[in-house]
Amino acid sequence: MGTYRVAQVAAAGERFTIAEREQTPPGPGHVRIAVEACGVCHSDAYFVGGVLPGLRFPVVPGHEIAGRIAEVGEGTPEVWRVGDRVAVGWFGGSCRVCTPCRQGDFIVCRNLKVPGGAYEGGYAESVTAPVDALARIPDALSAEDAAPLGCAGVTTFNGLRRSAARPGDRVAVLGVGGLGHLAVRYAVAMGFETIAIARGPAKADFAKQLGAHHYVDSTGSTDVAQALQALGGAHVVLATATDSEAVSATVDGLTPRGELVVIGIDAAPLRITPGQLIMPARTVHGHPSGTAQDVEDTMAFSALHGIRPMNETMPLAQADEAFQRMMAGSARFRMVLTM
Ligand SMILES: [Zn+2]
Ligand SMILES: [Zn+2]
């Protein structure tokens, strides 16, 4: 059946090398996807570094996959056909038997199949995935634009639409990087009075270009919570920054019954006292990505509102360079590998 190339890591923490795999036909309920683009996500570091439990090396990461169905396995619902444009994100399928799955809450499946861990991911010319992982890509989106929406996009889009904020409410987005630049655009399109919070005066213009109604520079003597309260308080803070200190500093900027929605991962603990939460009845919750249907909704909304991720692309052969650039924070928002 021929071969295809992957960018793999042979052992935890090693650099990427290009390897060849033999093509095998997809099993029942699976499709083989000819990958056209795959985003590089910060959480790929957990796969490359061997941090996630149960990883087997060599590892091929990549959970922001966009391409076309090349082959359909037996027992696959007829809605999926060869040639269909599909994306597979962080949600790479669920087990259907754990308690959350039986409750229909697939994104918190105890055996969630994340591409790159449960099966080889999208740093590859070919990926075989279960059909419950598939999201249909609208015609208006290129593969490069669709790919990051399977993780960065759906996490911010879903985090906002599942929050307590209603049109007209004030929503603050902490950080305007790979996740945050999308979050600001989604927040504006959803009808929220949108506040971008980032470091330094230089980001103010950029935040305004994204459509933010207000900008808070968190550096220097600025007290972020006071700045938010001066605007009337935030009903929701969507924390995309990977900095627990900066996240904690927003809590007193929430309105009564305000919500802090955490989606940026940092190993350091949040510093929030019970008093900050109890009297104003504030809540803090984590938000994980979204299912294939959520990814499809994210892509449809993005197409409708002309929202695209800001990407820098590199060919698969430069996967190592792309990954290093992303991790060093020197990428322009999102690195995307093209096949
Ligand atoms: Zn991700
Ligand atoms: Zn499950």
Side-chain angles (χ1 to χ4, degrees):
M1 283 196 65
T3 60
Y4 63 96
R5 293 180 312 148
V6 302
Q8 69 175 24
V9 173
E14 289 197 0
R15 307 294 288 249
F16 282 90
T17 54
I18 301 297
E20 294 225 323
R21 294 276 190 280
E22 289 293 328
Q23 205 78 263
T24 53
H30 287 65
V31 298
R32 185 166 63 78
I33 300 165
V35 180
E36 294 170 354
C38 184
V40 178
C41 179
H42 277 280
S43 57
D44 289 339
Y46 297 110
F47 299 83
V48 172
V51 179
L52 295 179
L55 280 181
R56 276 171 305 170
F57 283 87
V59 157
V60 177
H63 57 264
E64 291 186 344
I65 303 162
R68 277 174 202 278
I69 296 179
E71 203 176 344
V72 174
E74 271 177 52
T76 303
E78 288 217 344
V79 292
W80 300 109
R81 294 174 188 277
V82 170
D84 285 357
R85 301 181 68 225
V86 291
V88 177
W90 177 262
F91 179 87
S94 61
C95 77
R96 318 286 183 93
V97 297
C98 72
T99 301
C101 278
R102 294 177 69 199
Q103 291 168 329
D105 197 359
F106 303 111
I107 192 60
V108 286
C109 170
R110 295 189 187 283
N111 310 296
L112 189 71
K113 297 172 190 166
V114 181
Y119 49 89
E120 289 196 329
Y123 288 24
E125 291 170 332
S126 179
V127 163
T128 297
V131 288
D132 63 326
L134 302 179
R136 219 172 269 286
I137 302 175
D139 291 343
L141 294 185
S142 68
E144 286 89 343
D145 287 340
L149 302 184
C151 182
V154 70
T155 303
T156 51
F157 176 78
N158 230 20
L160 288 168
R161 73 169 176 170
R162 300 259 189 267
S163 78
R166 292 295 169 263
D169 282 354
R170 272 176 303 278
V171 167
V173 175
L174 176 66
V176 291
L179 293 169
H181 82 286
L182 286 167
V184 169
R185 297 213 54 195
Y186 289 139
V188 172
M190 288 177 187
F192 304 133
E193 184 178 342
T194 304
I195 306 160
I197 310 168
R199 293 179 201 281
K203 297 255 177 81
D205 279 347
F206 177 60
K208 291 281 164 69
Q209 280 166 30
L210 294 172
H213 304 102
H214 312 279
Y215 179 72
V216 173
D217 171 7
S218 64
T219 58
S221 58
T222 308
D223 181 314
V224 170
Q226 273 176 18
L228 292 176
Q229 290 298 351
L231 293 166
H235 296 88
V236 166
V237 170
L238 185 71
T240 74
T242 53
D243 176 351
S244 292
E245 197 72 29
V247 175
S248 306
T250 65
V251 172
D252 284 333
L254 289 167
T255 58
R257 300 206 182 278
E259 276 186 0
L260 170 63
V261 180
V262 183
I263 59 173
I265 295 181
D266 183 7
L270 294 171
R271 271 202 315 187
I272 302 167
T273 65
Q276 286 177 287
L277 302 178
I278 295 169
M279 296 309 284
R282 292 171 177 142
T283 57
V284 178
H285 62 95
H287 178 83
S289 181
T291 63
Q293 183 62 54
D294 292 319
V295 173
E296 202 164 300
D297 293 349
T298 303
M299 293 191 291
F301 188 87
S302 303
L304 188 65
H305 291 276
I307 296 171
R308 305 282 184 276
M310 297 175 82
N311 296 333
E312 187 178 331
T313 58
M314 277 190 186
L316 178 66
Q318 281 167 263
D320 194 69
E321 193 183 338
F323 178 76
Q324 303 303 339
R325 260 180 82 71
M326 191 71 187
M327 295 310 137
S330 44
R332 188 173 154 271
F333 302 102
R334 212 69 184 167
M335 292 300 312
V336 175
L337 298 172
T338 53
M339 312 310 158

